[in-house]
Amino acid sequence: MNLFLNQISAIVWKDFVTELKTRELFSAMFVFALLVILIFIFSVNLSVVKASEVGPGILWVAFLFSGTIGLNRSFMLEKENGCLMGLMLVPADRTAIYFGKLISNFVFLSIMELFILPLFMIFFNIDLLGHLLPLLLVIFLGTLGFCALGTLLSSLASNLKTREIMLPILLYPLLVPIVIGVVRMTGQILTGEPLSEMMNWIGLTASFDIIYIGVSIMTIDHILEE
Amino acid sequence: MVDNHNPSDSAIEVRGLRKEFGVLKAVDGISFDLKRGEFLSVFGPNGAGKTTLIKILAGLTRPSSGTARVAGYEVEEGQSEMRREIGVISHSTALYADLTPMENLIFFGKMYGLERPQESALSVLEDVGLAPRRNDRVRTFSRGMVQRLSIARAILHDPSILFLDEPFTGLDIHASNVLKEHLQSLHNKKRTILMTTHDVSCGLEMCDKVALQVMGRFAFFKDVKEFSKESFETMYFDAVRDNQFTMGIRNR
């Protein structure tokens, strides 16, 4: 068990050191998310529609699309110079590799989201400070599900020539239950509804998070094999 | 847990190994034994299945049929234990270009569960002569230096068996000589080595056993003392020509 946890932490450490040196992942995700929000702010007339009605969709489009860039890059890093083969040669459980990459992806995306959130508040003139804790819970659940499924599918797509195209094609349809859940919950939070009113959606999203992680544990061994 | 470890004199035992990709037989019924401490050079034209053979023995791909034992472990069942006993150097370096040699080796040391990854990393970097460049990014290294760092990565956990897949590819004469010296010293430390190569001089000079793989099969597997370099070249071209002729008749 100790070796398993050490291997997970080694992968996370390696991804962080690489990112600190290159800053490729964060800057690409952040710039993309910012552009999405800027484009929408100029295309939506906020004097006609309420920010709390269009805001949740825009926010999650920015998070998920920029997160896809991050997922693509994440496994590309392992494919360069055959590093994934190097990982396959170590006496590590394949699930340790999956969890290492999942945690890295989750932390990188969460950091980007924490930078985007204040900008979203300013641009859409929404006061989120009063609803910050429920909103962070929803973002946590949505990001976890996205990264759990995304890490699995990006490892699958990394072996394909058309990986940049295949990842979103595979990912987005399977992600629909979570996307519907988090967009609905974010909307309810922005209109001031209490968390107790959205327990069904929280249950649904959390259930899919668990399903995605469970399916990944069961299949990652076969997916990473040549 | 079933203990499938069967220690014996043989470091590698292969019986009737086959790997098929559709109609293509990349490995076609190969059998051989390699004793501990022996050095086997596998020659063969491009597409003969040499890399596939190494991938099977390293547990990177499953054989279609046949069995292989490496360091006493069945390659399919004893994966985790077997991986501690082997080091692999292939066409790809398996190194992170944006990390330094130290960072790369510390990472792999942690993945192998070494107790002191930092000390082990420094020790192997000194062995391959890269200690002075330990804090530079791998991206800035020449092909020869990267190949030496690949060796450091492969021997970091002190494996008893090394698989080398065309390690001289892309190296200049100086880098080839340096690599040859490193491989020779690894062989002198009683490591079992299986190397695929196109470099006849290097391959014959360093090895104890020689195999020629053509179209997935071993055309021969002999002791290196049994022939000269010239007679080997004659045998090589005869075997390749015979196989191409046979395939030509089959394809008609």
Side-chain angles (χ1 to χ4, degrees):
Chain A
M1 192 64 190
N2 245 353
L3 178 63
F4 183 76
L5 295 176
N6 286 343
Q7 287 169 334
I8 292 174
S9 71
I11 292 171
V12 176
W13 171 80
K14 181 263 299 170
D15 282 349
F16 268 81
V17 173
T18 307
E19 182 55 23
L20 280 175
K21 289 183 175 196
T22 61
R23 294 199 174 87
E24 282 176 8
L25 204 63
F26 179 80
S27 43
M29 287 196 300
F30 179 76
V31 169
F32 188 85
L34 187 62
L35 278 174
V36 169
I37 289 176
L38 282 175
I39 289 167
F40 275 109
I41 201 80
F42 286 111
S43 61
V44 175
N45 186 350
L46 289 175
S47 58
V48 179
V49 287
K50 286 183 187 168
S52 59
E53 285 173 2
V54 291
I58 295 167
L59 186 68
W60 281 100
V61 164
F63 286 171
L64 299 181
F65 283 18
S66 59
T68 310
I69 294 175
L71 288 175
N72 257 326
R73 177 73 194 132
S74 168
F75 254 90
M76 275 304 294
L77 195 73
E78 304 301 336
K79 292 298 281 187
E80 278 174 17
N81 302 328
C83 292
L84 192 58
M85 183 207 72
L87 284 180
M88 295 293 101
L89 286 168
V90 300
D93 196 320
R94 308 295 201 241
T95 48
I97 298 171
Y98 169 76
F99 278 114
K101 296 304 290 180
L102 166 61
I103 293 170
S104 300
N105 291 333
F106 178 79
V107 174
F108 288 141
L109 187 54
S110 298
I111 292 171
M112 190 278 296
E113 288 167 345
L114 290 178
F115 275 85
I116 286 294
L117 217 49
L119 297 173
F120 174 76
M121 280 168 60
I122 295 165
F123 290 140
F124 282 86
N125 196 22
I126 298 173
D127 180 18
L128 292 172
L129 293 176
H131 324 285
L132 207 52
L133 277 180
L135 186 63
L136 287 179
L137 173 69
V138 171
I139 290 176
F140 170 83
L141 289 174
T143 307
L144 181 62
F146 173 78
C147 290
L149 184 62
T151 303
L152 179 76
L153 295 180
S154 64
S155 66
L156 180 72
S158 66
N159 288 321
L160 306 171
K161 278 182 190 168
T162 51
R163 61 183 76 89
E164 285 87 1
I165 302 164
M166 287 310 289
L167 179 61
I169 289 174
L170 294 170
L171 179 62
Y172 295 143
L174 292 171
L175 212 57
V176 165
I178 280 194
V179 175
I180 292 172
V182 292
V183 170
R184 286 294 297 268
M185 283 191 283
T186 308
Q188 286 175 285
I189 289 168
L190 294 187
T191 53
E193 286 186 38
L195 212 53
S196 56
E197 292 291 312
M198 49 192 100
M199 290 315 284
N200 285 345
W201 287 115
I202 289 177
L204 177 90
T205 313
S207 304
F208 271 94
D209 287 354
I210 293 165
I211 289 168
Y212 292 153
I213 292 174
V215 168
S216 301
I217 291 170
M218 286 190 283
T219 55
I220 193 72
D221 219 18
H222 304 285
I223 285 176
L224 287 179
E225 191 184 311
E226 272 193 34
Chain B
M1 202 174 107
V2 180
D3 181 11
N4 66 355
H5 186 225
N6 178 20
S8 70
D9 268 357
S10 294
I12 303 171
E13 299 170 57
V14 175
R15 297 285 176 271
L17 206 62
R18 286 176 205 279
K19 178 70 182 178
E20 288 150 15
F21 298 102
V23 290
L24 178 76
K25 292 174 179 173
V27 175
D28 190 8
I30 287 180
S31 299
F32 70 94
D33 279 351
L34 197 63
K35 289 199 178 105
R36 290 178 190 272
E38 281 186 329
F39 192 136
L40 167 66
S41 289
V42 181
F43 296 91
N46 291 329
K50 305 185 293 295
T51 299
T52 307
L53 175 64
I54 283 190
K55 280 187 172 176
I56 294 171
L57 296 179
L60 289 171
T61 188
R62 287 176 200 273
S64 304
S65 63
T67 59
R69 293 183 80 87
V70 172
Y73 297 101
E74 293 279 349
V75 289
E76 282 192 77
E77 293 166 22
Q79 292 267 337
S80 199
E81 297 89 340
M82 185 202 78
R83 281 186 230 143
R84 289 181 197 283
E85 294 290 332
I86 63 166
V88 179
I89 300 166
S90 75
H91 302 285
S92 14
T93 60
L95 295 164
Y96 296 92
D98 288 309
L99 299 184
T100 66
M102 272 304 272
E103 288 164 347
N104 265 292
L105 296 180
I106 288 171
F107 168 66
F108 280 107
K110 286 177 179 172
M111 294 302 288
Y112 275 104
L114 302 184
E115 281 187 18
R116 295 183 184 85
Q118 203 133 5
E119 287 168 29
S120 305
L122 196 56
S123 162
V124 288
L125 279 176
E126 277 163 5
D127 285 349
V128 297
L130 285 174
R133 299 287 305 269
R134 63 182 178 275
N135 293 322
D136 295 343
R137 281 193 201 194
V138 173
R139 196 176 285 287
T140 64
F141 283 16
S142 67
R143 171 80 185 140
M145 290 163 76
V146 169
Q147 199 64 324
R148 277 192 279 155
L149 187 54
S150 284
I151 294 179
R153 177 190 50 74
I155 62 171
L156 180 68
H157 56 294
D158 197 20
S160 59
I161 300 170
L162 284 173
F163 295 114
L164 316 173
D165 191 10
E166 296 179 19
F168 296 100
T169 306
L171 298 184
D172 61 29
I173 296 170
H174 173 68
S176 283
N177 286 337
V178 172
L179 180 61
K180 207 163 78 178
E181 281 171 24
H182 285 306
L183 295 182
Q184 203 66 62
S185 88
L186 291 171
H187 185 211
N188 294 342
K189 288 175 186 165
K190 299 291 170 204
R191 282 193 169 94
T192 309
I193 300 177
L194 190 157
M195 174 176 78
T196 68
T197 182
H198 293 294
D199 189 326
V200 174
S201 301
C202 274
L204 291 182
E205 198 180 313
M206 290 189 290
C207 71
D208 308 303
K209 295 272 166 63
V210 181
L212 173 61
Q213 190 172 347
V214 186
M215 290 177 172
R217 293 182 212 139
F218 272 3
F220 63 76
F221 179 87
K222 291 183 178 190
D223 196 301
V224 72
K225 290 173 191 153
E226 288 178 35
F227 47 80
S228 64
K229 185 186 167 193
E230 289 71 27
S231 59
F232 172 76
E233 284 175 346
T234 310
M235 286 191 291
Y236 181 106
F237 289 116
D238 285 350
V240 173
R241 195 180 49 235
D242 287 351
N243 269 277
Q244 283 171 344
F245 180 68
T246 311
M247 283 304 289
I249 290 171
R250 257 192 240 165
N251 291 339
R252 274 185 198 172

